[in-house]
Amino acid sequence: MAIPPRLAPLLDQFEFARERLVNRLNGPVTDSGDGTGVPVGPITDTEFRWEPVEGCWSVRRREDGPGHRATVLTGTGDWGRDAAPYPHPEPAPFTTIAWRLSHLAEMFTLRTDHTAGTRALTRDDFRSHGDAAEAVADFERASAAWHAMLLSLDDGVLDKVGYSSYPHGSDPEDPLLEVIWWMNQELLHHGAEISLLRDLYRARGAGV
């Protein structure tokens, strides 16, 4: 199927941002932004769950309970992500790489399902991981599924309001093209945050 012309630049942006983040997490090199390769090692479990300040929200073992100011660990399985019902705590808790990557994987998983799947998955169905390699692989699968769904779209559905029924945003009131744009912004800004946290972890105590 031919890619609709107005979708093409968003796909290009998504593909670049996704590849750059995956390489930033896995190594052995990542794009510096100007095409130059920068050496980087794979993220470790310790770095993945590193809490640079007190009171971070993260991904935690369910048996340990939620973190400071969180009231629940979302999802299913042995690990869950710190959360609280609206209105969220103010000031907003600082979140770890684990929290941010789980958030991205959950959004791609649920939005794909609520656009081209069962339209039934909830946050209670999502499984977070405390193991960095598993979490990165989960993000890769979730974002790849979103990408495959985008490649199947024709131009006519891009203006369709409510084509995505994802329940944790304004998707039911938005044209699909706006939802796609929003997901790119989520990937771009959380990817940048994760990359910065990797830099801070590497530089901690090194005087750089």
Side-chain angles (χ1 to χ4, degrees), residues 29-196:
V29 295
T30 189
D31 190 329
S32 67
D34 62 3
T36 303
V38 177
V40 61
I43 189 168
T44 65
D45 292 349
T46 301
E47 179 184 359
F48 179 64
R49 299 197 302 271
W50 176 53
E51 299 190 15
V53 297
E54 292 185 3
C56 282
W57 277 12
S58 190
V59 169
R60 307 184 189 280
R61 291 182 178 85
R62 199 166 299 281
E63 63 190 30
D64 295 334
H68 181 62
R69 295 194 295 158
T71 59
V72 65
L73 292 173
T74 63
T76 187
D78 295 335
W79 295 78
R81 190 176 70 250
D82 284 324
Y86 288 103
H88 292 326
E90 289 290 344
F94 194 93
T95 55
T96 63
I97 292 175
W99 193 100
R100 296 168 202 254
L101 196 62
S102 170
H103 172 59
L104 279 174
E106 181 196 84
M107 279 194 299
F108 280 119
T109 298
L110 267 62
R111 271 200 167 94
T112 300
D113 178 70
H114 281 269
T115 303
T118 68
R119 296 179 178 253
L121 290 183
T122 72
R123 286 176 171 169
D124 290 339
D125 299 309
F126 182 77
R127 185 180 297 270
S128 292
H129 302 281
D131 176 274
E134 282 188 289
V136 173
D138 194 41
F139 165 75
E140 291 187 71
R141 285 190 296 269
S143 56
W146 174 258
H147 182 247
M149 183 276 296
L150 295 181
L151 292 176
S152 73
L153 299 176
D154 60 50
D155 190 76
V157 303
L158 298 180
D159 294 317
K160 188 170 181 180
V161 174
Y163 193 82
S164 168
S165 62
Y166 178 73
H168 303 296
S170 59
D171 296 32
E173 291 82 44
D174 292 338
L176 180 60
L177 193 65
E178 292 186 15
V179 176
I180 296 167
W181 177 90
W182 177 253
M183 287 302 288
N184 277 15
Q185 304 319 299
E186 289 285 334
L187 176 59
L188 287 163
H189 87 256
H190 286 306
E193 293 165 350
I194 289 167
S195 296
L196 178 59

